[in-house]
Amino acid sequence: AQTVTQSQPEMSVQEAETVTLSCTYDTSESNYYLFWYKQPPSRQMILVIRQEAYKQQNATENRFSVNFQKAAKSFSLKISDSQLGDTAMYFCAFMKNTNAGKSTFGDGTTLTVKP
Amino acid sequence: GAVVSQHPSWVICKSGTSVKIECRSLDFQATTMFWYRQFPKQSLMLMATSNEGSKATYEQGVEKDKFLINHASLTLSTLTVTSAHPEDSSFYICSAVNWDSRNQPQHFGDGTRLSIL
C-alpha cells in the first residue's frame, strides 16, 4: 500500500515571499502520478499541479512549481510570490498508473499567507 | 470541461431521517466515482468507489447499510445516509473520472455539508 506523508501541519508566509511545502511518499510502483491539491476555506478541491513519475522535468504552473526527487520519493511544492488567495489547506496525493483516479492523500498542510 | 456538480451543498436534518446526496458529471461520462468524508482540518477519507452499473466497493470500516451508494448511470452517483445520527455530521465530497482518461486526476464536486440535529 502507498503512503503519503506531509510533515508540516501548518505553515505561514508573508505576502510576496516564497514558501515550500514538503511531501514524501512510499511506494514500490515505478509508474505513477503525483498531485498537489488546494482546498481554500470554501472547501472546494482545486488541482494545483500534476507530475508524471516517468518525467524527469519538474512540473510548473505559473507561480507553482515542484521539486520531484524520484529516488528520494520526495515531491515538494514551491509557491512563489505568495498571495493572500493562496491561503488554504494543501494536499499531496499519489495515484498508481493503473488506478483510474483512485488516489492516496496526505494529511494536508494548512498554509496562511500574511499581509 | 470536466465539471462535477454535487447537490445539495448544505443540508440540516433531524436525527433518524435519511439524506440523499447527488453527484453528477455534467460534461463527461463518469465510469468511476469516489465518495469521501472529511472532518474539519483533516484529510479526505475515501469511503467507497463506485463503477457505473455495478456495486460499490467500500473501504474497510465503512458501513454498507449505513451509506448506500448507487451509480446507475454514467453521469450520476448518489450517496444515501440512512437513519442519520449526529455522528454522521460531516463534509462529504464526491469525485469522478472517466476510464478513457484514467491517468488524469479526479474531478471533484464542491462538497456537501451535512448537519444532523
Side-chain angles (χ1 to χ4, degrees):
Chain A
Q2 286 69 229
T3 59
V4 177
T5 302
Q6 294 179 247
S7 59
Q8 307 149 314
E10 295 183 357
M11 294 191 70
S12 64
V13 63
Q14 290 296 132
E15 194 175 8
E17 294 188 347
T18 295
V19 64
T20 298
L21 309 183
S22 67
C23 172
T24 58
Y25 58 95
D26 188 24
T27 185
S28 58
E29 302 287 329
S30 57
N31 294 322
Y32 51 87
Y33 297 84
L34 296 163
F35 309 97
W36 277 98
Y37 289 93
K38 167 186 177 181
Q39 189 180 41
S42 65
R43 304 191 80 170
Q44 180 186 14
M45 290 288 286
I46 302 166
L47 177 66
V48 175
I49 203 162
R50 171 177 180 260
Q51 175 81 44
E52 293 96 335
Y54 64 86
K55 289 187 177 180
Q56 292 186 338
Q57 186 174 6
N58 290 325
T60 299
E61 287 289 342
N62 301 314
R63 297 183 294 109
F64 299 88
S65 61
V66 298
N67 183 2
F68 174 48
Q69 302 289 328
K70 190 173 184 179
K73 296 180 182 175
S74 171
F75 183 61
S76 61
L77 175 70
K78 185 173 81 172
I79 305 174
S80 304
D81 186 25
S82 296
Q83 300 176 0
L84 296 178
D86 295 333
T87 292
M89 197 161 186
Y90 288 81
F91 294 99
C92 177
F94 172 99
M95 184 181 81
K96 288 199 298 185
N97 192 38
T98 55
N99 252 11
K102 186 175 182 179
S103 301
T104 301
F105 290 86
D107 288 339
T109 296
T110 300
L111 175 67
T112 302
V113 180
K114 298 180 178 180
Chain B
V3 176
V4 174
S5 173
Q6 187 172 341
H7 179 80
S9 58
W10 196 359
V11 58
I12 303 173
C13 61
K14 294 182 180 180
S15 183
T17 59
S18 293
V19 179
K20 180 184 284 187
I21 302 170
E22 292 187 349
C23 183
R24 293 181 184 273
S25 57
L26 299 185
D27 53 0
F28 68 102
Q29 293 184 326
T31 50
T32 302
M33 286 186 169
F34 304 97
W35 287 95
Y36 296 90
R37 184 173 182 175
Q38 186 183 30
F39 293 104
K41 297 192 176 183
Q42 293 189 22
S43 188
L44 279 68
M45 181 186 77
L46 180 65
M47 299 174 66
T49 302
S50 72
N51 293 302
E52 185 267 336
S54 61
K55 290 185 178 180
T57 302
Y58 289 81
E59 296 298 305
Q60 191 173 8
V62 178
E63 299 177 60
K64 300 179 183 181
D65 296 333
K66 177 73 169 176
F67 300 100
L68 300 178
I69 292 172
N70 183 278
H71 191 167
S73 77
L74 284 171
T75 59
L76 174 65
S77 177
T78 60
L79 166 66
T80 301
V81 183
T82 62
S83 187
H85 292 285
E87 59 266 28
D88 299 323
S89 298
S90 192
F91 190 67
Y92 294 86
I93 310 175
C94 72
S95 71
V97 296
N98 180 280
W99 180 253
D100 291 337
S101 304
R102 55 190 174 274
N103 292 331
Q104 297 299 313
Q106 52 196 301
H107 306 288
F108 287 91
D110 287 346
T112 297
R113 185 176 300 177
L114 175 61
S115 297
I116 309 298
L117 304 178

